[in-house]
Amino acid sequence: MANYKPPLIGIVGKTNVGKSTLFSALTQAQVSIENRPFTTIEPNTGVAYVRKRCPHTEFRLPGCDPRTGYCINGTRFIPVNLMDVAGLIKGAHEGRGLGNKFMDDIRQADAFILVVDASGSTDEEGNPIDPGSRDPVQEAQEILDEIKLWFEKIVARDWERFAMSVETGRKDPVDAIYNKLSGLSIKRRHVVEALSSAGLVSKKLTSWTRDDLRRFSNILLKVSKPFIIAANKADIPYAEEGIRRLREAFPGVHVVPVSAAAELALKKASKQNLINYIPGSGDFTINEQNKLSVTQQKALEYIRKNVLDKWGNTGVQQAVETLVFDVLGLISVYPVEDLGKLSDSKGNVLPDVYLVPKSMTARDVAGIIHTDFAKRFLYAVDAKSKKRIGEDDLLYDGIVFKIVSSK
Ligand SMILES: Nc1nc2c(ncn2[C@@H]2O[C@H](COP(=O)(O)OP(=O)(O)OP(=O)(O)O)[C@@H](O)[C@H]2O)c(=O)[nH]1
Ligand SMILES: [Mg+2]
């Protein structure tokens, strides 16, 4: 059975900050976008893509046959799953706004994009206000606190009974915690890391204090659900100061200047053939000036001046790629069956690409491709060097390889 699932990225943030605009810009899906709080209630799910140079170019092949995603001019677009949920406001854990039930919608996410209104043009409750009136640092902190409280509640749920059952059943605490939290899509290695960082490896679960539980939960959240900040509405001049302050307040976190509305507008114009625009790039060209209405011309000028010339790009594609490649540290690997043609058994060239953690061994990756593969793994072969890859060896980004298993 194939086990590969693309990473799931959750879009979270205060209400009315541009989460659905970002989602729509990335997935091309049409969703409700309005300048008022709580427009989104039910989650939106869709597929976004991260870009890599396709190995078919390096191997001087004329093209490839992706089973999922696509390849344009040697750039491979690799699928990732995206989910947009209802917005949060401060006090959500006490039921304010829509409460934090919707965090449950997104609990399986591998990582988050925290969308912040960097221009400060929405108040605490998500109502429109003058730009610069609201502190984006405070907004980000409030949402992070809400997520922390939500996570802690799930970790601590029924803890005493759980701890007792682990002890009386002489169960392995790591396995038991891992199973208890399976709904949060946490990896076993995250539990191991959090126990060790919290200094709780040898403390009996029944002796944990509230403080122990909180410390463990906070560390587990940090290691299992990494995030970046998408500093949205970067087109509004006030955002410049907001972005500077966000970077200062969250030094270890990637803060990506984003204009989701600009990206959405450029993609729409490109779809209508009014402009040529490659997502992620720093400019566009106008196809026929006289086909554009005055309003359209003004909008494009606004985007060029306030987004592309100022920040280099809309930041939308960059936000996802920063999260997938820099924060999650995923690499792209291409399993094939025929090392000569770089194809599967039917002759499809480079049909599959998987995004996997760079800390995975060749055998681990084999297990992701197919359960049987891990059990019967003998060795792998690198298509470029033709060298053998042992079961404990790591793979590298862009590797094309064949797994050899026992019959
Ligand atoms: N100026 C500017 N406005 C934006 C940008 N992105 C989104 N907006 C506007 O912000 C408002 C809210 O956008 P949504 O995408 O509906 O926000 P949301 O976070 O999904 O809101 P809820 O679902 O209600 O929580 C809309 O009026 C958007 O047009 C941006 O980059 N710049
Ligand atoms: Mg929304």
Side-chain angles (χ1 to χ4, degrees), residues 20 71 101 147 164 180 258 382:
S20 297
C71 191
K101 182 201 94 46
I147 295 174
M164 192 62 89
K180 179 181 195 290
V258 168
D382 183 332

Side-chain angles (χ1 to χ4, degrees), residues 14-22 32-41 84-88 232-236 258-262 302:
K14 198 183 65 177
T15 183
N16 203 24
V17 294
K19 297 180 300 298
S20 297
T21 310
L22 178 68
S32 305
I33 295 170
E34 276 184 63
N35 194 10
R36 64 166 177 86
F38 303 120
T39 302
T40 308
I41 294 178
D84 165 41
V85 293
L88 271 175
N232 195 34
K233 307 194 189 173
D235 52 287
I236 298 176
V258 168
S259 179
Y302 173 88

